[in-house]
Amino acid sequence: MLTKLTGGIVYDPANKINGKQKDIYIKDGKIVNKPRNADPDKEYNIKGKVVMAGAIDLHTHIGGGKGNIARMLMPENHRIDPVAHTDIKRAGTGHAMPSTFVTGYRYAEMGYTAAFEPAVLPVNARQAHMEMGDVPMLDKGGYVMLGSDDYFLRMMTAKKDQQAINDYVAWTIRAAQGVGIKVVNPGGISAFKFNQRKLDLDEKNTHYNVTPRDILRSLATAIKELGIKHPLHVHGSNLGVPGNVQTTLDSIAGVDGLPVHLTHVQFHSYGTEGDFKFSSGAAKIAESINKNKNMSVDVGQIMFGQTVTASGDSQRQYANHGIASPNKWVCMDIECDAGCGLVPFKYKDQNFVNALQWAIGLEIFLLVDDPWRIFLTTDHPNGAPFTSYPHLIRLLMDKSFRNDMLATIHPEAKKMTTLASIDREYTMQEIAILTRAGAAKITGLVGRGALGKNDWADITVYTENENREKMFEKPDYVFKNGEMVVKDGEIVKTVWGTTHVVRPEYDKSVEKDLKKYFDKYMTMKMGNFTISDDEITEDGRGSITVHPTVGEKI
Amino acid sequence: MTTITEVPSPFCGIGSDDLTIQVDGVSIKVTENGCAINTPAFEEAIADIDPRVDGKMVSLDVAIKRAAKILKKANQSVIGGCATDVNGMRALMALADRNGAVVDNMNFTGAKRNFLAMQDSGWMNTTLAEIKNRCDLFVVVGCDLEAFSPQFYQRYLWNKESMFLKDTSKREVIYIGKAPSGKASTSPKKAKAKVLECADADLPEVMAVLRALVKDHPVSVDEVAGIKITDLKKIADKLKKATYGVVTWAAGALDFSQAELTVQMLCEMVKDVNASGVRCSGFPLGGKEGDQTANQVCGWQTGYPARMRFSSDIPEYDPFLYDINSMFANGEVDAFLWVQAFNSRSVPPHGGKIPTIVVARSGMVFEEEPDVFIPIGTPGIDHSGHAYRLDNVVAIRLKKLRDSGLPSTAEVLTAIEQALVS
């Protein structure tokens, strides 16, 4: 079947198309060149409408144990946002941490076609994939968490060579079916189990004698040498601590030019100036990102309102439990592998710290020059639920709206931000880079986030609207693999996306020592730890898409 | 005859995955690493193969159609048991969503005590491998652990090697409430567990005093429920001196009114120990008959644990109202589906004169024949699948061990759901 989208204004940064009127042809789920003598079986007249690839969220907590604890922790937050079933949709609940079905529906209804879970604990990866298996509409994938797992830390203490580390990293990403590697508070989750309540970049884990700086460098090197396209995904040390801007700058310096992605960098950009000893470090962070081309960031913007923070960083979550709102929270130590912490938060515009956090995030967005190295996230649900993205896009694209919002926040916070003096407004093409082309590139996806020949036809069509929030919250059409799945902002068909993975090569002999380790210290057999392909595909809905490592042909 | 090694078990709750099993046709023998719970559960012979309607053998298709007819006619159906694997639970939820049913996991009345505490104030918990490698003080509250899990001590406390303890036999074990029924808690060096016995009903008081002592609050009595305050003070001190203390309980065993407050007391005490400057974690026991699996799947699909309903087209959660036993007592149910893929002795509760469908492990024997009985395969024996372990983090990959021809829970429930639409 040949489908034609006629007359849309296309923003396709991957192919350097910036707001040009262009017809798009779709056949067998993919975009094709205009065929010579074929009439389309189906034509959509989208004259003058804005056309982009389906959006990609490269950091959103949509699947995995801690997210499910967050759901269970907050029944009152679900009660305010029930979603009824229809003939084509399952029932579920929204708000801060929506149920899996509602997650898929709401993302698709905003024009998203892929989302990546950034904190897949290897030992909990099965759950992450099962939950994502129940997220309809979207492609998905996960970054596998390493760096506080005892096997890796033992290797570091024993000063195993980089090759051995690489083999272990590759083995783990394959066993857990991941597309990238993440490190969370490097070594800090482990340190918390040894009763260290904080861990600076150059502070040693008391048991392993290893610093976060060592861990960062070792894992970032492994990613580079294995050819994994997504740079090491780093949730840095000292999240949320006033003064952590220095930790972040030191971390950037510490990786010696290796490719690294700093996630939710807003939470890591705090100074200690001013009457309240809390200030914006955004300018310094942006300057460093602009200078260091090896770095990329996503922001982790906060929005005002109720949410629940769900993080692998048990150490920092424990430290923040005192400000839980409502006052209930969960911390877990997990399987000599990782940990997690769930702390409900209510960000308030009249709270000085929250108001300044909001401004810091926006400053980072506006001060980082290269749109290919910065990404639009709220670290869902930690800064805000993903459903706030259209509002965030308006804040970025509309200076007068931004200044109107700025006028309403805590007056002392307003004094502490340079936001009012920043004139930049994001262009349509830049939004397309942040949420499509750039996101696909940095996660190493082939054939997504772009609208060229042979790309998968994940396409979103919007009606141009001066009010960017209204424009981006309700696309006219969303196509997934060439099929229309959303019309006028409503799901019209439920489909199931693929799971993106990478499979770097490694020396199989790594399994010899791992098997011994599992037998001696773990509570499951190594063979039962590894996730097989059929676990993802056997329900008849799931599929796996393997992306090449650097230089690899698939 | 074939031998299969590293077989994971969905029965014991602790996710044992080192069983060796011999399969001869459809008969199974556990030859290594079995226990009083796993061995009989694996070795149970297949009895029924054919579904029955009104007590008469019928084809699967006929049974499914009849089941669908019962559910379709109902104003308020309930699905109880919910004892199955992840895919079974997925199909169960889809059916419940379509039918506007109540979903109530059979162990929820126990689990509710944990959920109420967790949803009110939260907790700090740990998992099996952390216990195995770190725990130096193990406090068991109100539960006979070795009856719950015969292999727990041997696997997770008296393990020979651990990453962070030089000598695991020096771990200290303390019981508060029930005394242990055997010697599993006695260390390899013959050190017996310290036992402070009291009646279950006295646990709220005892735990309140223990928490007060942890917080250094003055306590003006000399004893509580027959336990000397000085003895409790020693435990409070040990908790605050341990490197990695673990406090465990089984919500199902705390069978007294408002036991959720005792769970909460215990969880808040664990937080207090952490606030005092050392590490300590809670460890809730459960994970049998698929209860964690039911709560996990229901949790990610609806946002709520597995006592909820779809009656108004939206998920609604209430840990009290949607207890199927009280719904039966109130006459609120007109169709009942019982799903139990693991245990043929776990028969449905008596719901009165209500059309009843049972989808359960082959071999279930009924006092009163249900309207429809569909024998199904057991996850981890007759088909592959996934089940959650008690610590809720690890999902084990269940293996298919034999070709019995019995359908899976998911196949049967999906077929019933489809029959509802057609």
Side-chain angles (χ1 to χ4, degrees):
Chain A
M1 177 163 131
L2 184 69
T3 305
K4 183 186 179 192
L5 311 184
T6 310
I9 311 294
V10 176
Y11 293 89
D12 180 18
N15 293 297
K16 299 195 171 61
I17 294 169
N18 181 2
K20 190 178 136 197
Q21 192 158 40
K22 189 173 180 281
D23 298 338
I24 290 176
Y25 294 87
I26 303 165
K27 199 174 180 206
D28 300 330
K30 291 193 166 182
I31 293 169
V32 294
N33 287 340
K34 183 183 175 178
R36 272 196 203 157
N37 299 313
D39 288 330
D41 302 285
K42 177 86 188 158
E43 182 173 1
Y44 295 86
N45 181 1
I46 54 166
K47 200 172 169 201
K49 292 186 190 294
V50 171
V51 181
M52 295 184 184
I56 297 166
D57 192 343
L58 90 170
H59 186 110
T60 172
H61 297 280
I62 56 166
K66 68 187 170 322
N68 222 23
I69 298 171
R71 289 189 186 100
M72 306 273 204
L73 185 65
M74 306 285 283
E76 69 282 0
N77 187 254
H78 298 307
R79 271 185 200 119
I80 58 167
D81 191 11
V83 178
H85 86 132
T86 69
D87 287 345
I88 54 165
K89 287 203 291 189
R90 290 282 302 276
T93 53
H95 210 264
M97 189 69 200
S99 64
T100 51
F101 296 110
V102 172
T103 299
Y105 302 144
R106 287 191 173 167
Y107 259 117
E109 285 170 352
M110 296 193 313
Y112 276 73
T113 52
F116 291 86
E117 163 60 50
V120 176
L121 282 50
V123 77
N124 184 247
R126 213 161 244 135
Q127 170 157 5
H129 288 295
M130 291 194 291
E131 285 191 34
M132 289 193 282
D134 277 348
V135 173
M137 316 307 292
L138 303 176
D139 286 5
K140 47 250 168 175
Y143 314 139
V144 180
M145 255 170 77
L146 286 174
S148 273
D149 55 307
D150 288 292
Y151 190 84
F152 171 77
L153 291 168
R154 286 159 70 92
M155 290 180 93
M156 293 290 286
T157 306
K159 303 219 179 313
K160 295 276 175 164
D161 63 23
Q162 186 66 43
Q163 188 55 47
I165 301 276
N166 296 358
D167 288 336
Y168 171 61
V169 169
W171 179 85
T172 306
I173 201 170
R174 293 176 74 120
Q177 300 273 11
V179 74
I181 293 286
K182 186 195 197 189
V183 61
V184 172
N185 182 358
I189 305 164
S190 162
F192 184 51
K193 297 174 188 174
F194 293 105
N195 203 27
Q196 286 176 275
R197 305 290 170 109
K198 63 176 247 315
L199 195 69
D200 279 322
L201 188 62
D202 292 310
E203 195 173 344
K204 284 179 175 166
N205 177 309
T206 49
H207 182 81
Y208 288 109
N209 230 11
V210 171
T211 68
R213 189 190 292 268
D214 302 335
I215 294 169
L216 279 179
R217 197 174 304 155
S218 165
L219 287 174
T221 305
I223 302 296
K224 186 169 184 217
E225 293 184 359
L226 290 168
I228 296 169
K229 284 191 184 157
H230 188 50
L232 180 64
H233 197 92
V234 176
H235 158 144
S237 308
N238 286 332
L239 179 143
V241 179
N244 64 10
V245 58
Q246 198 53 50
T247 312
T248 308
L249 294 172
D250 292 345
S251 302
I252 293 171
V255 295
D256 293 336
L258 291 162
V260 162
H261 177 86
L262 296 180
T263 190
H264 42 68
V265 72
Q266 177 275 129
F267 290 113
H268 303 267
S269 303
Y270 304 148
T272 52
E273 286 156 29
D275 294 344
F276 299 101
K277 305 288 175 221
F278 182 73
S279 59
S280 171
K284 284 182 187 163
I285 293 293
E287 189 193 352
S288 175
I289 299 304
N290 288 340
K291 203 168 65 193
N292 293 287
K293 311 290 183 202
N294 57 313
M295 304 299 300
S296 57
V297 297
D298 66 83
V299 173
Q301 177 67 32
I302 73 133
M303 295 288 184
F304 305 118
Q306 177 72 56
T307 196
V308 52
T309 64
S311 172
D313 192 345
S314 49
Q315 189 188 47
R316 292 303 311 152
Q317 291 291 81
Y318 179 75
N320 283 328
H321 74 256
I323 44 176
S325 176
N327 182 16
K328 53 179 175 181
W329 50 278
V330 169
C331 272
M332 280 191 79
D333 298 326
I334 297 175
E335 283 300 276
C336 300
D337 188 42
C340 75
L342 299 307
V343 183
F345 261 53
K346 199 167 194 171
Y347 295 106
K348 296 176 181 152
D349 59 359
Q350 298 311 311
N351 170 301
F352 167 75
V353 171
N354 298 164
L356 195 54
Q357 287 179 299
W358 176 85
I360 291 168
L362 294 174
E363 287 178 9
I364 295 170
F365 270 116
L366 298 165
L367 295 174
V368 169
D369 297 332
D370 182 358
W372 291 91
R373 293 192 290 119
I374 186 167
F375 302 93
L376 190 135
T377 67
T378 54
D379 186 20
H380 163 78
N382 294 326
F386 64 82
T387 38
S388 56
Y389 287 169
H391 180 82
L392 175 55
I393 291 173
R394 188 176 182 198
L395 287 168
L396 298 179
M397 294 187 79
D398 184 339
K399 186 189 170 215
S400 73
F401 175 70
R402 185 163 71 226
N403 285 338
D404 290 348
M405 292 292 111
L406 178 62
T408 65
I409 67 169
H410 191 286
E412 294 302 316
K414 202 163 59 186
K415 283 185 212 159
M416 296 285 288
T417 172
T418 59
L419 201 51
S421 69
I422 306 175
D423 288 330
R424 181 173 175 194
E425 290 183 329
Y426 268 80
T427 65
M428 207 70 92
Q429 184 76 340
E430 285 175 329
I431 293 296
I433 296 170
L434 261 66
T435 57
R436 275 89 170 164
K441 187 178 171 204
I442 199 123
T443 39
L445 300 187
V446 177
R448 305 277 173 184
L451 298 173
K453 186 187 164 194
N454 275 337
D455 288 324
W456 286 97
D458 290 355
I459 303 171
T460 304
V461 179
Y462 304 99
T463 299
E464 172 76 53
N465 189 329
E466 279 293 295
N467 181 333
R468 301 307 190 193
E469 184 171 349
K470 289 233 171 319
M471 173 175 167
F472 281 97
E473 76 187 2
K474 203 176 169 189
D476 296 69
Y477 299 107
V478 179
F479 297 86
K480 179 77 193 141
N481 295 340
E483 257 190 298
M484 185 175 71
V485 293
V486 171
K487 191 176 177 222
D488 298 329
E490 299 278 339
I491 302 288
V492 292
K493 182 170 187 198
T494 298
V495 293
W496 299 91
T498 191
T499 297
H500 297 287
V501 302
V502 291
R503 295 195 170 154
E505 290 302 320
Y506 67 100
D507 181 348
K508 296 268 187 297
S509 67
V510 69
E511 291 183 356
K512 242 190 265 167
D513 190 55
L514 270 164
K515 189 177 178 318
K516 272 191 235 154
Y517 175 81
F518 271 84
D519 286 344
K520 230 195 247 182
Y521 301 125
M522 292 293 100
T523 56
M524 67 197 302
K525 296 287 178 191
M526 188 186 80
N528 289 328
F529 176 88
T530 303
I531 300 172
S532 59
D533 289 0
D534 61 346
E535 295 186 56
I536 292 172
T537 61
E538 72 189 352
D539 64 2
R541 305 185 312 210
S543 62
I544 292 175
T545 301
V546 184
H547 291 274
T549 50
V550 174
E552 184 190 15
K553 283 197 179 125
I554 287 181
Chain B
M1 187 151 31
T2 47
T3 299
I4 306 173
T5 59
E6 297 192 359
V7 173
S9 165
F11 304 110
C12 60
I14 60 172
S16 308
D17 73 343
D18 57 354
L19 281 74
T20 300
I21 278 174
Q22 264 181 18
V23 185
D24 188 0
V26 291
S27 91
I28 281 177
K29 206 164 166 48
V30 177
T31 55
E32 273 175 58
N33 301 326
C35 70
I37 290 172
N38 285 330
T39 304
F42 272 101
E43 292 184 353
E44 184 174 317
I46 295 173
D48 330 74
I49 291 183
D50 298 304
R52 297 192 296 268
V53 166
D54 299 329
K56 292 188 191 90
M57 280 206 275
V58 296
S59 70
L60 183 59
D61 191 44
V62 167
I64 281 165
K65 281 195 178 126
R66 178 64 177 274
K69 199 172 161 193
I70 290 171
L71 292 173
K72 209 167 182 174
K73 237 175 79 181
N75 288 313
Q76 183 58 69
S77 56
V78 299
I79 308 182
C82 307
T84 181
D85 63 330
V86 167
N87 278 339
M89 195 60 199
R90 281 168 159 160
L92 186 151
M93 296 299 294
L95 174 61
D97 190 357
R98 176 91 58 198
N99 192 234
V102 164
V103 173
D104 184 19
N105 174 254
M106 56 184 279
N107 291 341
F108 202 85
T109 295
K112 158 183 113 210
R113 297 166 191 140
N114 286 347
F115 281 112
L116 286 171
M118 189 266 238
Q119 291 170 340
D120 192 53
S121 50
W123 55 29
M124 290 182 80
N125 284 348
T126 194
T127 69
L128 287 173
E130 302 290 356
I131 293 175
K132 184 175 173 181
N133 289 290
R134 290 179 194 278
C135 173
D136 57 342
L137 173 66
F138 191 68
V139 180
V140 185
V141 179
C143 149
D144 180 13
L145 178 52
E146 65 208 80
F148 174 88
S149 171
Q151 294 195 315
F152 190 95
Y153 281 101
Q154 173 203 330
R155 282 176 188 257
Y156 303 122
L157 285 171
W158 310 136
N159 47 298
K160 285 205 183 72
E161 287 179 284
S162 109
M163 275 193 274
F164 312 116
L165 298 173
K166 283 203 183 81
D167 182 357
T168 56
S169 69
K170 286 191 177 150
R171 299 187 207 245
E172 201 166 347
V173 180
I174 296 169
Y175 278 74
I176 302 173
K178 287 190 184 72
S181 56
K183 289 179 183 158
S185 59
T186 301
S187 83
K189 288 194 179 148
K190 310 289 176 217
K192 280 189 181 157
K194 167 114 186 132
V195 182
L196 302 184
E197 228 177 318
C198 72
D200 287 354
D202 289 328
L203 280 170
E205 222 176 329
V206 173
M207 291 312 296
V209 172
L210 181 60
R211 184 182 175 204
L213 293 167
V214 163
K215 295 185 80 169
D216 294 324
H217 287 180
V219 173
S220 57
V221 292
D222 295 331
E223 61 169 58
V224 53
I227 298 173
K228 283 194 191 119
I229 298 299
T230 46
D231 285 343
L232 278 176
K233 177 81 169 70
K234 278 182 203 152
I235 296 178
D237 291 343
K238 280 178 196 292
L239 279 166
K240 290 200 283 184
K241 278 190 196 127
T243 304
Y244 197 89
V246 172
V247 181
T248 192
W249 73 97
L254 302 177
D255 196 10
F256 48 87
S257 173
Q258 299 187 347
E260 61 271 19
L261 297 176
T262 301
V263 174
Q264 186 167 38
M265 188 66 73
L266 195 154
C267 293
E268 293 299 295
M269 180 188 77
V270 168
K271 290 183 185 174
D272 294 333
V273 174
N274 280 280
S276 80
V278 298
R279 289 305 319 276
C280 181
S281 287
F283 188 73
L285 299 163
K288 290 193 184 174
E289 319 260 11
D291 53 8
Q292 303 288 27
T293 305
N295 286 315
Q296 285 276 14
V297 176
C298 191
W300 76 61
Q301 292 202 350
T302 70
Y304 302 126
R307 181 172 278 173
M308 50 78 62
R309 66 171 195 174
F310 290 100
S311 316
S312 309
D313 288 344
I314 56 170
E316 293 175 289
Y317 163 62
D318 192 303
F320 300 94
L321 287 180
Y322 312 140
D323 174 349
I324 59 169
N325 290 303
S326 62
M327 291 184 75
F328 286 144
N330 294 335
E332 294 171 343
V333 179
D334 59 358
F336 174 29
L337 167 60
W338 180 252
V339 178
Q340 172 49 286
F342 295 118
N343 185 352
S344 63
R345 276 169 301 284
S346 171
V347 293
H350 187 63
K353 289 211 171 309
I354 297 162
T356 299
I357 306 152
V358 176
V359 173
R361 182 165 184 177
S362 161
M364 195 170 274
V365 178
F366 305 97
E367 260 182 46
E368 198 176 331
E369 177 77 13
D371 297 71
V372 180
F373 171 57
I374 303 176
I376 50 171
T378 304
I381 296 178
D382 299 301
H383 60 84
S384 60
H386 293 102
Y388 278 86
R389 212 166 77 171
L390 78 173
D391 52 19
N392 236 345
V393 169
V394 175
I396 49 174
R397 173 62 168 167
L398 303 173
K399 294 179 180 176
K400 177 180 173 166
L401 306 177
R402 67 181 174 199
D403 267 314
S404 65
L406 286 163
S408 68
T409 313
E411 284 163 347
V412 170
L413 298 186
T414 303
I416 295 175
E417 191 210 340
Q418 278 162 4
L420 280 179
V421 193
S422 59

